[in-house]
Amino acid sequence: MDIYDLTIVGGGPAGMYAAFYSGMRAMKTKLIEAKQELGGFMRMYPEKTIWDVGAVGPARCEELIAVLEKQARTFHPTIVLEQEVHHLHRREDGVMVLTSGCGQQHLTRTVLLCAGRGIIDRQKLELEGANQYEVSNLYYTITDVGSFRGQHVLVSGGGNSAVDWANELHDHGAKVTVVHRREQFDALEYNIARMHEHAQILTPYTLHRLHGQQESIESVSLMNTVDGTIHRMAVDSVVVNHGYKRDYGPLLEWGLIQENNGIRVNERMHTDVPGVFGAGDFVDYGSKVRLIAGAFNDAVLGVNSALHYLDPVASKQPSVSSHNVRFRELNRKLRERSRD
């Protein structure tokens, strides 16, 4: 069985970029993803437009995933899909054995955990009869934003996702009402300002009851969280963004320390387990930036630390791609292609 220098657990933005960057560092790399395709949490919002990745955009999530996956495969890492890593065992020779839920084992000298938000469990509405509307016009994510054109859509929530969807829905021709239990929204200021320009904002309100015939919502009752008054409103669809529960499953049995919104790492992405590093939404540290751009930087630091763990004299500041010998042949092919 092959022994890898680095095994990346998780195929979201951090994991995909780590697969590319470890190739730049000439590491023998494997990437293991629990789902049947790469993309991680971004697969929850394939139609969502991303603006804040340097020199890229605006681009839909599915477009960004495709570009990241192509880049991840540059140096031909081994990619394993539909396996969820459960257990870690360290042999006497220091090699780590990762065992997936199906029983398959993977041998590696270091591990980079890019498990994102773990097993995602959406916060669903705890209202009577809510489940029956999930097959019609109650949504917890959107896969075809254009299908809401001409509808009156109620968006419930106050975080980045709720605000982003309110703006996306308006841009695709929907009338939007946003309901939030607090006056303040927890999202980027520019996006909040955009939302206030076109959406009806009802705060502080919560969804109190759903009204409909058979499987479709026709109206909703909203309750004011201050005085308890009820307001009823006709709607065509309801989109709920109340956040997610994080579940890291068996990974927490490895000796990792959970802290705030992730696993504790230091400024070089070291976890509390020797030879195990972290990156992306999976980790938490003092200056953590929860953006895709921040996940890329975490991945670089994690890969560099893994290589330095294997070879203490390896450079912590490798040459950039324009000077990296691994690109010489690729650059030659690109120049030849441009001349054709």
Side-chain angles (χ1 to χ4, degrees), residues 71-291:
Q71 183 184 47
R73 294 181 182 274
T74 300
F75 298 106
H76 309 292
T78 298
I79 296 179
V80 178
L81 300 176
E82 296 186 90
Q83 285 197 33
E84 184 178 327
V85 174
H86 285 186
H87 305 294
L88 178 149
H89 168 72
R90 199 183 304 266
R91 301 191 321 198
E92 290 185 2
D93 62 0
V95 171
M96 288 180 273
V97 182
L98 302 179
T99 305
S100 65
C102 65
Q104 185 169 340
Q105 294 186 331
H106 307 270
L107 304 184
T108 187
R109 294 185 173 89
T110 62
V111 176
L112 180 62
L113 294 172
C114 302
R117 306 179 190 199
I119 301 169
I120 295 299
D121 184 13
R122 295 188 184 95
Q123 298 274 20
K124 292 191 174 185
L125 282 180
E126 296 182 357
L127 295 180
E128 182 180 354
N131 292 345
Q132 73 186 69
Y133 299 119
E134 292 180 18
V135 298
S136 55
N137 58 348
L138 173 60
Y139 303 87
Y140 293 98
T141 188
I142 297 175
T143 57
D144 182 9
V145 69
S147 65
F148 293 86
R149 180 177 299 277
Q151 292 190 20
H152 178 197
V153 183
L154 180 90
V155 177
S156 178
N160 278 298
S161 293
V163 173
D164 288 348
W165 279 129
N167 290 328
E168 291 271 354
L169 288 162
H170 169 264
D171 292 345
H172 285 80
K175 175 187 175 182
V176 180
T177 296
V178 179
V179 175
H180 184 37
R181 60 188 174 84
R182 296 189 292 112
E183 298 285 352
Q184 295 78 27
F185 287 84
D186 298 319
L188 293 174
E189 292 81 0
Y190 175 76
N191 292 334
I192 294 173
R194 277 198 63 214
M195 177 184 68
H196 276 278
E197 290 176 359
H198 60 73
Q200 178 184 15
I201 310 297
L202 296 178
T203 59
Y205 278 89
T206 60
L207 278 167
H208 179 65
R209 189 175 177 186
L210 307 175
H211 309 276
Q213 296 294 328
Q214 297 179 346
E215 295 182 348
S216 294
I217 300 170
E218 296 179 350
S219 64
V220 298
S221 290
L222 308 173
M223 184 176 69
N224 187 298
T225 61
V226 175
D227 59 24
T229 57
I230 303 296
H231 174 67
R232 186 157 174 171
M233 174 184 294
V235 296
D236 297 305
S237 296
V238 176
V239 177
V240 176
N241 289 119
H242 291 175
Y244 303 85
K245 296 178 182 178
R246 293 171 179 255
D247 182 4
Y248 296 126
L251 295 181
L252 294 181
E253 299 173 5
W254 294 16
L256 304 167
I257 305 301
Q258 193 167 6
E259 190 170 273
N260 298 323
N261 292 316
I263 298 302
R264 183 174 72 191
V265 294
N266 66 11
E267 71 280 0
R268 304 296 299 183
M269 302 300 117
H270 292 246
T271 71
D272 289 84
V273 180
V276 178
F277 309 88
D281 279 347
F282 184 69
V283 304
D284 192 58
Y285 54 95
S287 57
K288 175 65 182 173
V289 176
R290 296 197 177 277
L291 295 173

